[in-house]
Amino acid sequence: MIFILFIVFLPAARLQETQYRQDQCPSGSCNPQLGDLMVGRAPRLSASSTCGLDGPQNYCIIGYLEEEQKCFTCDSRLPYNHHGNPNSHRIENVITTFDPERKTKWWQSENGFHQVSVQLDLETVFKFSHLVLTFKSFRPAAMLVERSKDYGRSWKVFRYFAEDCLLSFPSVSNQPANSIDDIVCDSRYSGSDPSTNGEVVLKALDPIFEIRNPYAPNIQDLITLTNIRVNFTRLFTLGDILSRRRRNPQDKYYYALYNMVVRGSCFCHGHASRCTPVDGGRGDVFTQTGMVHGRCVCQHNTAGENCERCQEFHHDSPWRPAGRNTANTCRRCNCNGHSNSCHFDATRFEATGMQSGGVCEDCLHDRTGSQCERCRPFLFQDPQRTADDPHACRPCDCNPAGSEGGGLCDALSGTCVCKENVEGRHCNQCKYGFFNLRRDDPAGCQGFWGLGHSEFRCSACDCDVGGAYSTTCSPEDGQCHCLPNMVGRQCSDPAPRYFLPPLDYFLYEAELAAPLLPLDPGYALQIVPRQRKTDQSITWTGLGLVRVLEGAGLRFTVDNLPSPMDYQLVIRYESEVKKTVRVLVMICFLQTKGLKPH
Ligand SMILES: *[C@@H]1O[C@H](CO)[C@@H](O)[C@H](O)[C@H]1NC(C)=O
């Protein structure tokens, strides 16, 4: 025989580099390898019943003939040892090893107990792929598998298994699942054949269903768990005739498992290809080979045990699980060097067309803005300095009375923003013709006229609010800037051949209107005369008011409008009741004197 042996010594640095490259998953989602979650977790595995824990117990196996029955002893006081303690059947025996003696090693429950459960408690959230149980005994006549995602606080059944589903689980459907969410009873794994080495298999996701989005909440619900529990609920028994003849018929009915495999991997949302021990390896210095660890070595700038969030200062894009071809990397925030913390803001993300959602927190160096990109109010960015210079923000130097906002300047140029009638680099002087710079004057300075005329020395403009364009007037003669057809120095008079109607120029008194009596023909207009009282303002014109009952009305005839144009109809009334009054207005147009209806 010829052996050829290659031994390659890699320098430590190269090894690390190889490891580093393996950790990377640049182009899309990367997933850690599947393994058996049971491996290395004996202390986290438990069974509600195990034979021989308190001392030797007898059990028998059934042959084809009654006479073939053979009996043995179970003694699980000490752990299994092939040479010293081969009759120990503790639960950790079901963990797959590659020992040569693995077929002589199994877990076994106490005789005659129907309700027995086996439970694995994981230290964090894992991704579950499938479960395989290999029995030494007959498979159970009925059982179920359930899992928890909150460390055992709440449980949800994955699937029921029974030889006779209707009998064992009458409320559960025994039809094949229609959707991935259906919880059904499966009878394929509970028959009496084979009598040993029979398997029960449970897949997290039935391959007959097409999984479009592996991160949909219901899929996540099915494939993640922190605990898994198998409840055996009914022992398989060969019928009563046989057992009644025996002295101790219970002895041959128990659950015995060679193997329990929980295939899965750490749960990293597609952001890691490798995992390490959850407690950082402190307690697990000698972690078993083949053990599937729970803490993801996160890539794509993600963090957390399950890469379930973005790393610090990487919140410019929202956290998302990696897609098949997209890494969905968390992007670093841009704070121009003025902050070390940021958070994601969905509104900003949308407003920027999904470009940037990072909002910097506590900007330093007198800065503000989502990216600390602006100087605070009353400061401006020195054009000689770069945006990341901590000393780039300089005070505005604007006169608080003459500039907008009490001293604001343009954030980039530093130019003071002067009020309307103010000028100067620092907004500290009134424009020509204006005087009296005051902080409480929104325009900064007032305009006056007549400077130099001894007669009208510094008179106020007093432009008519309704008749002039603005409040300022000519400094020479005080002429205000008039609207069309308005004249006079203050623009308060109508131009010749124009008149200035007051708002209620066309006035129609209710006392002179005709009554409308749709309901009560005996109703006549009731005029309520009013007299002026000293403590009351006059709210009426004419004689006083007309009392109009509910449901009644008045008809006004309007026949004196000089020309067609837009008119505003104003109805002035007072209510004598404390409730909302609804007034119905109907307008009829009559075409007379060449006026067209409008
Ligand atoms: C499984 O067994 C445990 C006890 O071991 C019990 O608390 C639990 O309710 C059982 N689950 C179901 C679905 O019956």
Side-chain angles (χ1 to χ4, degrees):
M1 236 191 283
I2 304 169
F3 284 101
I4 303 176
L5 193 65
F6 290 102
I7 302 179
V8 181
F9 293 96
L10 280 172
R14 278 273 294 283
L15 255 176
Q16 262 175 13
E17 201 182 287
T18 315
Q19 185 68 72
Y20 180 74
R21 239 182 286 126
Q22 262 176 18
D23 287 354
Q24 305 282 303
C25 30
S27 54
S29 73
C30 54
N31 287 298
Q33 271 189 349
L34 283 180
D36 183 356
L37 302 181
M38 300 277 283
V39 171
R41 292 196 170 80
R44 299 181 165 275
L45 189 61
S46 58
S48 64
S49 166
T50 297
C51 64
L53 279 180
D54 301 320
Q57 277 181 338
N58 204 43
Y59 69 92
C60 305
I61 56 170
I62 307 160
Y64 282 104
L65 299 167
E66 208 182 318
E67 286 64 37
E68 276 182 285
Q69 177 163 307
K70 292 179 190 156
C71 293
F72 304 88
T73 302
C74 168
D75 184 353
S76 306
R77 284 175 297 178
L78 292 170
Y80 175 88
N81 178 301
H82 184 55
H83 303 290
N85 207 17
N87 297 330
S88 175
H89 298 297
R90 291 187 176 190
I91 187 63
E92 63 260 29
N93 291 3
V94 300
I95 300 176
T96 307
T97 59
F98 294 97
D99 299 341
E101 62 260 24
R102 63 183 185 278
K103 276 288 162 196
T104 63
K105 224 174 136 179
W106 69 87
W107 160 81
Q108 189 168 313
S109 67
E110 294 164 282
N111 302 331
F113 283 94
H114 285 285
Q115 308 270 354
V116 174
S117 61
V118 173
Q119 183 170 336
L120 173 67
D121 302 314
L122 297 162
E123 64 275 23
T124 186
V125 183
F126 280 85
K127 198 163 149 181
F128 169 65
S129 164
H130 57 276
L131 167 79
V132 182
L133 302 172
T134 313
F135 287 85
K136 177 181 181 290
S137 60
F138 285 101
R139 291 175 295 187
M143 61 175 268
L144 60 93
V145 180
E146 56 185 348
R147 89 281 193 193
S148 169
K149 304 207 307 166
D150 53 11
Y151 302 94
R153 275 186 290 279
S154 64
W155 293 85
K156 216 168 159 182
V157 174
F158 250 126
R159 190 157 306 160
Y160 295 86
F161 297 90
E163 195 181 16
D164 185 340
C165 282
L166 276 179
L167 180 76
S168 302
F169 303 110
S171 61
V172 181
S173 160
N174 60 350
Q175 300 300 308
N178 280 323
S179 83
I180 48 168
D181 306 312
D182 284 354
I183 296 165
V184 295
C185 178
D186 189 340
S187 52
R188 285 176 297 172
Y189 296 106
S190 307
S192 60
D193 188 37
S195 61
T196 187
N197 273 313
E199 284 187 343
V200 173
V201 179
L202 167 64
K203 291 198 175 80
L205 296 176
D206 202 313
I208 66 162
F209 297 112
E210 186 197 348
I211 309 298
R212 282 205 202 87
N213 172 13
Y215 292 99
N218 60 340
I219 307 282
Q220 293 294 295
D221 190 51
L222 282 172
I223 62 168
T224 58
L225 48 76
T226 56
N227 309 69
I228 185 163
R229 179 159 66 193
V230 184
N231 281 14
F232 305 123
T233 57
R234 179 125 216 109
L235 282 163
F236 179 85
T237 51
L238 275 180
D240 294 328
I241 310 127
L242 248 179
S243 43
R244 233 182 274 131
R245 302 232 301 263
R246 288 273 140 213
R247 253 183 311 145
N248 204 350
Q250 301 275 345
D251 284 4
K252 52 189 182 300
Y253 299 122
Y254 46 80
Y255 302 104
L257 259 185
Y258 276 131
N259 254 305
M260 172 166 163
V261 175
V262 181
R263 292 279 288 175
S265 65
C266 45
F267 179 56
C268 307
H269 295 97
H271 290 308
S273 58
R274 197 168 67 89
C275 291
T276 56
V278 163
D279 63 0
R282 273 170 287 124
D284 286 281
V285 182
F286 305 102
T287 56
Q288 207 160 322
T289 27
M291 182 163 174
V292 179
H293 295 298
R295 178 188 288 280
C296 306
V297 179
C298 298
Q299 305 298 319
H300 308 149
N301 298 330
T302 58
E305 215 158 70
N306 307 105
C307 310
E308 73 282 4
R309 56 189 156 87
C310 287
Q311 224 177 67
E312 279 298 289
F313 207 62
H314 287 78
H315 304 290
D316 204 35
S317 52
W319 178 89
R320 272 182 293 216
R324 202 164 293 162
N325 302 311
T326 50
N328 285 333
T329 300
C330 294
R331 277 203 314 265
R332 199 181 145 84
C333 288
N334 174 14
C335 299
N336 290 295
H338 304 296
S339 171
N340 296 322
S341 65
C342 64
H343 64 264
F344 178 74
D345 183 279
T347 318
R348 182 173 136 76
F349 191 58
E350 246 168 64
T352 58
M354 314 295 167
Q355 288 303 307
S356 169
V359 173
C360 302
E361 290 164 356
D362 306 322
C363 296
L364 299 167
H365 313 133
D366 289 323
R367 290 195 164 257
T368 183
S370 300
Q371 302 185 320
C372 308
E373 74 280 10
R374 276 177 285 133
C375 294
R376 283 180 194 279
F378 308 109
L379 301 164
F380 73 102
Q381 163 86 35
D382 185 340
Q384 308 290 330
R385 294 177 187 261
T386 56
D388 57 354
D389 188 326
H391 306 292
C393 291
R394 303 241 319 266
C396 288
D397 194 17
C398 305
N399 186 304
S403 45
E404 294 289 356
L408 290 178
C409 65
D410 183 272
L412 290 177
S413 61
T415 310
C416 295
V417 188
C418 295
K419 289 183 182 172
E420 190 186 342
N421 301 331
V422 180
E423 61 187 7
R425 205 166 80 76
H426 306 288
C427 302
N428 55 350
Q429 65 200 61
C430 291
K431 282 184 181 164
Y432 177 68
F434 294 85
F435 301 90
N436 198 13
L437 177 64
R438 286 164 62 101
R439 192 170 179 155
D440 57 8
D441 183 344
C445 301
Q446 271 179 290
F448 282 77
W449 69 282
L451 184 66
H453 285 261
S454 53
E455 201 183 332
F456 301 112
R457 201 178 171 89
C458 280
S459 310
C461 289
D462 269 339
C463 298
D464 190 280
V465 189
Y469 278 113
S470 71
T471 57
T472 59
C473 60
S474 154
E476 281 80 35
D477 56 6
Q479 178 60 52
C480 299
H481 213 52
C482 296
L483 288 164
N485 306 325
M486 294 300 291
V487 294
R489 188 192 66 73
Q490 290 166 269
C491 310
S492 51
D493 308 316
R497 293 162 46 80
Y498 285 86
F499 76 103
L500 189 65
L503 276 180
D504 54 357
Y505 182 76
F506 293 106
L507 186 69
Y508 306 95
E509 293 291 345
E511 296 93 311
L512 305 175
L516 276 179
L517 309 167
L519 297 178
D520 181 1
Y523 169 78
L525 274 191
Q526 198 185 346
I527 298 174
V528 188
R530 287 282 163 97
Q531 267 161 19
R532 180 168 198 160
K533 287 188 200 148
T534 41
D535 56 339
Q536 265 178 8
S537 55
I538 295 178
T539 56
W540 68 93
T541 54
L543 273 179
L545 300 168
V546 167
R547 179 171 286 136
V548 183
L549 297 181
E550 198 169 341
L554 298 171
R555 185 170 66 210
F556 295 89
T557 305
V558 177
D559 54 4
N560 59 343
L561 298 181
S563 60
M565 59 184 277
D566 284 337
Y567 291 93
Q568 291 218 12
L569 181 67
V570 179
I571 298 169
R572 202 189 281 164
Y573 66 94
E574 289 172 18
S575 172
E576 292 181 310
V577 289
K578 275 212 182 95
K579 66 176 185 187
T580 316
V581 175
R582 281 195 293 173
V583 178
L584 179 66
V585 178
M586 288 182 288
I587 302 178
C588 301
F589 292 96
L590 295 174
Q591 194 174 346
T592 55
K593 291 189 220 160
L595 288 184
K596 292 219 169 82
H598 185 73

Short mmCIF file of all heavy atoms in Angstrom, two decimals, residues 48 116-117 144 146 157 160 229 231 233, ligand 1:
data_model
loop_
_atom_site.label_atom_id
_atom_site.label_comp_id
_atom_site.label_asym_id
_atom_site.label_seq_id
_atom_site.Cartn_x
_atom_site.Cartn_y
_atom_site.Cartn_z
N SER A 48 -39.46 14.25 29.79
CA SER A 48 -40.30 14.23 30.98
C SER A 48 -40.29 12.86 31.65
O SER A 48 -40.72 12.72 32.79
CB SER A 48 -41.73 14.64 30.61
OG SER A 48 -42.28 13.70 29.73
N VAL A 116 -45.46 11.66 27.12
CA VAL A 116 -44.04 11.91 27.41
C VAL A 116 -43.56 12.97 26.43
O VAL A 116 -43.93 12.95 25.25
CB VAL A 116 -43.21 10.61 27.23
CG1 VAL A 116 -41.72 10.92 27.38
CG2 VAL A 116 -43.63 9.55 28.23
N SER A 117 -42.78 13.93 26.93
CA SER A 117 -42.28 14.93 25.97
C SER A 117 -40.77 15.05 26.05
O SER A 117 -40.15 14.83 27.09
CB SER A 117 -42.95 16.28 26.22
OG SER A 117 -42.65 16.73 27.51
N LEU A 144 -47.14 14.91 18.62
CA LEU A 144 -47.17 16.22 17.97
C LEU A 144 -45.83 16.90 18.18
O LEU A 144 -45.08 16.53 19.09
CB LEU A 144 -48.30 17.08 18.54
CG LEU A 144 -48.29 17.39 20.04
CD1 LEU A 144 -47.59 18.71 20.30
CD2 LEU A 144 -49.71 17.46 20.57
N GLU A 146 -44.19 20.76 18.56
CA GLU A 146 -44.49 22.19 18.71
C GLU A 146 -43.19 22.96 18.94
O GLU A 146 -42.17 22.38 19.31
CB GLU A 146 -45.50 22.43 19.83
CG GLU A 146 -45.11 21.87 21.17
CD GLU A 146 -46.21 22.04 22.22
OE1 GLU A 146 -47.16 22.77 21.97
OE2 GLU A 146 -46.08 21.43 23.29
N VAL A 157 -48.16 24.57 17.71
CA VAL A 157 -47.96 23.23 17.14
C VAL A 157 -47.56 23.36 15.68
O VAL A 157 -48.12 24.13 14.93
CB VAL A 157 -49.24 22.39 17.28
CG1 VAL A 157 -49.08 21.06 16.56
CG2 VAL A 157 -49.58 22.15 18.74
N TYR A 160 -49.29 17.50 13.78
CA TYR A 160 -49.73 16.34 14.54
C TYR A 160 -49.43 15.09 13.71
O TYR A 160 -49.48 15.13 12.48
CB TYR A 160 -51.25 16.42 14.79
CG TYR A 160 -51.65 17.58 15.66
CD1 TYR A 160 -51.90 18.84 15.12
CD2 TYR A 160 -51.79 17.42 17.04
CE1 TYR A 160 -52.26 19.91 15.92
CE2 TYR A 160 -52.17 18.49 17.84
CZ TYR A 160 -52.40 19.72 17.27
OH TYR A 160 -52.77 20.77 18.07
N ARG A 229 -40.34 21.05 20.93
CA ARG A 229 -40.78 20.02 21.85
C ARG A 229 -41.55 18.96 21.07
O ARG A 229 -42.37 19.29 20.22
CB ARG A 229 -41.69 20.63 22.91
CG ARG A 229 -42.23 19.63 23.92
CD ARG A 229 -42.66 20.32 25.19
NE ARG A 229 -43.80 21.20 24.98
CZ ARG A 229 -44.20 22.11 25.88
NH1 ARG A 229 -43.54 22.25 27.03
NH2 ARG A 229 -45.23 22.87 25.65
N ASN A 231 -44.13 16.00 21.72
CA ASN A 231 -45.01 15.37 22.71
C ASN A 231 -45.49 14.04 22.15
O ASN A 231 -46.21 14.01 21.15
CB ASN A 231 -46.24 16.24 22.98
CG ASN A 231 -45.95 17.38 23.92
OD1 ASN A 231 -44.78 17.69 24.17
ND2 ASN A 231 -46.99 18.01 24.43
N THR A 233 -48.05 11.28 22.62
CA THR A 233 -49.30 11.31 23.37
C THR A 233 -49.96 9.94 23.46
O THR A 233 -50.82 9.72 24.30
CB THR A 233 -50.29 12.31 22.74
OG1 THR A 233 -50.49 11.94 21.38
CG2 THR A 233 -49.75 13.72 22.80
C1 LIG B 1 -46.87 18.95 25.42
O1 LIG B 1 -46.49 18.49 26.70
C2 LIG B 1 -46.29 19.48 27.69
C3 LIG B 1 -45.89 18.79 28.98
O2 LIG B 1 -44.77 18.04 28.81
C4 LIG B 1 -47.57 20.25 27.89
O3 LIG B 1 -47.35 21.30 28.78
C5 LIG B 1 -48.04 20.82 26.56
O4 LIG B 1 -49.27 21.48 26.73
C6 LIG B 1 -48.17 19.72 25.53
N1 LIG B 1 -48.54 20.33 24.26
C7 LIG B 1 -49.70 20.10 23.64
C8 LIG B 1 -49.94 20.84 22.38
O5 LIG B 1 -50.54 19.33 24.05
#
